[in-house]
Amino acid sequence: MNNSNSRAAISLHESWASNLSDYLLLRRQQTQSAYHVSDVETNIETEQVDGVQDKALFSAVFVMLTTHLEQGHTVLTLEEAKDERPVQGDIGGESVTLYAWQLKLLEMLATPLLVLAEGQIDQLIADEVATEPSLFSLLSIIVAQRHQLWSQSVLTNYERELLTKRLDAITALYQRLRNTDLDAFIHSIGQYDLFSDVEHLNKGDRNSLSKNNKPIIYQIQKEDNQNTSATLWLHRTWQAEFSLATRINSIINQQITPLSIAIPDNLEKRQIAAINVANHNAFSIITGGPGTGKTYTVAQLVIALQQAAQSREDDAPIKFSTDSASLALAAPTGKAAQRMQESLQAALDAANVDMQLKEAKTIHRLLGIGRTGRPRYDADNPLGEDIIIVDEASMLGVELANYLVSAVKKGARLILLGDANQLAAVDAGAVLSDLCCIPSLQPVHVELTESRRFSKDSGIGKLAQQINNMDTDTQGIWQLLKQDQALSFSNINTQSAQTNPNNQIKNSLSNIENLKKIILNYQEYIKKINVLLEDPIEKSVPAVVKETITSLVQAFNQFRILTAGHNGEWGDHYINNYLTQWHLAELKLPLGQNTWFHGRPVMMLQNNYELGLFNGDIGFCLQTGTDGAPLEVFFENKTQGIAVSLLNDELVSTAYAMTIHKSQGSEFDHVAITFDTSHSRLLSKELIYTAVTRAKKQVSIYSTKSAFEKAVQTPTERYTGLALQFEAL
């Protein structure tokens, strides 16, 4: 394996987990009093051995939990059925029995070593026929030939040290696991001060992050004295889930006074139910797919609240006016917040309600989360708003959700909107989907099912429904893609040129032809950009700027390329580079290395409050005069351009193509969805569903049949402990 691959393997799997575990262990040594109530006289030799075992066991479990956390999971669950038979194998010449959960743990720890030594291992076992599971063989080879394997890889001393620590952790865990069962393992971790059983935590410990709390929390479950399972959390994630469940439960139990609401005649039954649930409860959840009327439904509630507020006396608890702080609109991203405000305002305007909504904010801005990562508003300093409406709640991670509910003042309403079938949060947790499945929350949850965007005959709606089905009918999906005019599938060429050099040019041309077909959809946008090249925007006239940018946005939003990931021929990096060259050629602009050029569409990658720009905002780089005039970037709803010198590569990227994750909260007339087998780790039902439902009129899919079938048959699995926290309340 070459040096770059080795380094990639290490960085991918090691990250910060091992270093952080070492740090905690160091802190433990420095603050023994935090973990030991009293010193117990023990045999010195035994104490040293146990200390080593304690450290090794904690290090192994901690690394696995932190790795799990980075993958979006908040818990690690170990399960063992009473009638389960262990698997026998040979490691280091010793016959060993291991249960499925034990193999899972060892494989999680061994993955970076297996990736690093993949090439060498394949060579070593090429002529052998292994009778036991491959993990036994691989671990045995790694243990026996660790020095030989690593000597063939170009590693720094630091990288070698990291891998040595990982191997030591594997060895220690293996020694702990072999020839034992889950009950014995749970008993062993219960003997050490760094692990704490939930059952042994009193209420004071549960409600505080005091120094006496242990870094790893675990909970044991037994089903009818048959199956045993253990769920493990890092203390921080356990505390976040516990606090979130506790505070939601507290909000639900609050009594609020329902308002007199005049419900429009054009609402369907579930929309009426949603309004009533939000009106009668301090906490409510409204979910539904695209076009089911979530925003419109909430708009009717806002109208009712406004009307009710106007009829109240001045000292009434809810006061709605332009200057009032009674209503807060928020979403996880700036783009989603912007679209939420626009949609709600449009609904209010359509109902002839003279009400100007306050600016919708990101949840971070609403809570005052700055560089420290801690919110300004919390349980001790709650938000002043009486109604808090959060859109795109599927993007909420457990920590951000906890911060949000903690800041809701007593007597206020919190309304969550979202599509539980969309992608989960980038951060750990799957809060919305978890909340939708918790039995105690069903009375405050309403799912809207009737789509007004997609008719019963809509191919996009049918495809989205097919993807959502628990048992995916791939044949039905293929038939739908062939028959419906709004849908298309193009099989891309992924044959490796490295394996067949003679076909290199042919393969390359095959994908280029597909790209040439795709970019034709941007011709309308290019035409408008070309006009502005010949007749530059009059930036001194705000009305002209607004009209021009609105026209560009409309043209640009007619089509968008959505990719599964960044890398590969079908990732957004490659496609954006290709379309940049096409763009420059079409406008006869210099084919230089300059990042900025007339007509470049860009997307904000992070919030910039100084510039008033938010993650997901789309802007256009435009020539503002004759040759030599400075380039400026104009964003939607902004009447002034921003100098390109203020926007670097960390802040923006070219936006011809964007990842599906970045597209959440956006809508386009036509989307082209691109991915191949190189994105296999990222593919899921939720990913494709999210991409498909960004389109209003047409969906074009560019992939391989195998990658597409895998995607629509692979549900995203997020292992979380939020449901367990609600069960314990």
Side-chain angles (χ1 to χ4, degrees), residues 60-101:
V61 176
F62 189 92
V63 168
M64 286 186 288
L65 280 169
T66 50
T67 303
H68 232 39
L69 187 66
E70 291 174 338
Q71 296 169 350
H73 313 294
T74 63
V75 299
L76 174 62
T77 300
L78 310 176
E79 297 179 292
E80 181 181 279
K82 190 174 181 179
D83 57 352
E84 180 184 351
R85 299 182 66 180
V87 180
Q88 286 192 324
D90 184 274
I91 296 180
E94 180 184 11
S95 180
V96 181
T97 60
L98 294 172
Y99 290 92
W101 66 270

Side-chain angles (χ1 to χ4, degrees), residues 518-676:
I518 291 174
I519 61 180
L520 292 176
N521 295 282
Y522 281 124
Q523 286 290 357
E524 183 65 27
Y525 170 73
I526 287 293
K527 287 179 181 178
K528 289 183 176 291
I529 290 298
N530 196 34
V531 171
L532 290 173
L533 183 62
E534 299 173 358
D535 184 14
I537 186 172
E538 185 54 69
K539 66 175 185 176
S540 62
V541 184
V544 173
V545 172
K546 183 178 180 180
E547 182 182 351
T548 302
I549 301 307
T550 299
S551 177
L552 285 178
V553 169
Q554 291 173 349
F556 193 61
N557 282 349
Q558 290 177 11
F559 178 73
R560 196 62 48 83
I561 304 169
L562 306 181
T563 70
H566 295 302
N567 301 320
E569 280 189 291
W570 294 100
D572 66 326
H573 289 172
Y574 178 88
I575 294 176
N576 278 324
N577 287 335
Y578 182 87
L579 265 70
T580 293
Q581 298 305 310
W582 166 79
H583 178 121
L584 296 174
E586 286 288 303
L587 271 63
K588 297 179 174 59
L589 297 173
L591 299 174
Q593 299 297 317
N594 192 357
T595 304
W596 293 100
F597 50 87
H598 176 74
R600 180 193 180 191
V602 296
M603 178 178 59
M604 292 294 297
L605 300 178
Q606 55 185 276
N607 299 333
N608 189 308
Y609 300 118
E610 294 180 358
L611 298 175
L613 300 173
F614 306 103
N615 187 3
D617 283 354
I618 298 294
F620 307 97
C621 178
L622 300 176
Q623 192 84 38
T624 57
T626 56
D627 292 344
L631 292 168
E632 295 184 21
V633 182
F634 294 83
F635 289 86
E636 190 177 8
N637 299 321
K638 303 288 183 184
T639 56
Q640 291 185 333
I642 296 173
V644 296
S645 58
L646 299 177
L647 301 169
N648 56 41
D649 290 341
E650 294 181 355
L651 285 177
V652 299
S653 68
T654 303
Y656 276 122
M658 65 170 67
T659 64
I660 297 169
H661 281 83
K662 282 290 187 183
S663 74
Q664 282 188 271
S666 298
E667 294 179 349
F668 313 100
D669 291 342
H670 178 191
V671 300
I673 307 168
T674 68
F675 57 95
D676 58 27

Side-chain angles (χ1 to χ4, degrees), residues 336-372:
Q338 181 185 347
R339 287 197 67 255
M340 176 192 192
Q341 182 174 353
E342 292 171 351
S343 300
L344 272 175
Q345 192 65 59
L348 295 175
D349 295 342
N352 294 318
V353 175
D354 186 15
M355 178 183 178
Q356 189 64 40
L357 294 170
K358 292 181 63 180
E359 178 191 9
K361 300 178 179 178
T362 64
I363 296 174
H364 283 76
R365 279 190 74 194
L366 178 69
L367 299 177
I369 299 175
R371 294 180 179 179
T372 64

Side-chain angles (χ1 to χ4, degrees), residues 4 15 20 35 60 142 187 195 257 329 366 396 449 454 474 485-486 546 595 643 646 699 729:
S4 61
S15 64
L20 192 54
Y35 297 95
I142 288 178
H187 178 76
F195 298 84
T257 303
L329 306 176
L366 178 69
L396 279 174
T449 56
F454 306 129
T474 55
Q485 293 184 348
K546 183 178 180 180
T595 304
L646 299 177
V699 172
L729 295 176

Side-chain angles (χ1 to χ4, degrees), residues 47-266:
E47 185 181 17
Q48 290 176 343
V49 172
D50 290 346
V52 172
Q53 292 176 343
D54 186 1
K55 176 178 177 177
L57 180 64
F58 170 74
S59 294
V61 176
F62 189 92
V63 168
M64 286 186 288
L65 280 169
T66 50
T67 303
H68 232 39
L69 187 66
E70 291 174 338
Q71 296 169 350
H73 313 294
T74 63
V75 299
L76 174 62
T77 300
L78 310 176
E79 297 179 292
E80 181 181 279
K82 190 174 181 179
D83 57 352
E84 180 184 351
R85 299 182 66 180
V87 180
Q88 286 192 324
D90 184 274
I91 296 180
E94 180 184 11
S95 180
V96 181
T97 60
L98 294 172
Y99 290 92
W101 66 270
Q102 296 171 323
L103 288 168
K104 172 184 174 183
L105 293 183
L106 289 171
E107 190 168 16
M108 287 176 64
L109 275 181
T111 296
L113 296 178
L114 300 178
V115 172
L116 178 66
E118 184 178 4
Q120 293 90 326
I121 291 175
D122 288 344
Q123 206 168 13
L124 288 169
I125 65 174
D127 299 326
E128 300 178 11
V129 179
T131 57
E132 68 271 10
S134 59
L135 183 61
F136 286 102
S137 301
L138 297 175
L139 286 175
S140 191
I141 290 172
I142 288 178
V143 172
Q145 305 188 40
R146 54 191 290 186
H147 298 296
Q148 177 185 343
L149 290 170
W150 292 355
S151 65
Q152 300 175 29
S153 301
V154 182
L155 302 174
T156 66
N157 291 333
Y158 176 72
E159 292 165 342
R160 215 176 280 275
E161 183 182 354
L162 287 179
L163 290 173
T164 300
K165 288 182 179 179
R166 176 59 67 94
L167 183 59
D168 291 341
I170 295 171
T171 303
L173 184 63
Y174 160 68
Q175 294 296 335
R176 182 77 61 174
L177 294 177
R178 63 178 186 152
N179 305 323
T180 188
D181 57 16
L182 185 56
D183 287 328
F185 179 72
I186 294 171
H187 178 76
S188 70
I189 65 176
Q191 304 304 303
Y192 299 110
D193 292 320
L194 294 171
F195 298 84
S196 181
D197 188 351
V198 169
E199 299 300 320
H200 296 159
L201 294 176
N202 58 45
K203 289 191 176 181
D205 291 327
R206 290 187 177 217
N207 288 310
S208 153
L209 282 172
S210 72
K211 65 179 181 179
N212 293 320
N213 284 330
K214 312 301 173 61
I216 296 177
I217 309 294
Y218 68 93
Q219 181 173 337
I220 305 167
Q221 301 96 33
K222 287 187 178 288
E223 300 178 5
D224 302 326
N225 294 322
Q226 295 291 320
N227 301 338
T228 301
S229 65
T231 302
L232 296 94
W233 294 260
L234 290 174
H235 187 275
R236 179 170 178 170
T237 52
W238 180 88
Q239 186 71 38
E241 290 189 335
F242 169 78
S243 178
L244 178 60
T246 302
R247 295 186 184 280
I248 288 178
N249 197 57
S250 176
I251 296 173
I252 286 176
N253 291 328
Q254 294 178 17
Q255 297 295 318
I256 62 171
T257 303
L259 302 171
S260 178
I261 294 180
I263 298 177
D265 297 332
N266 61 337

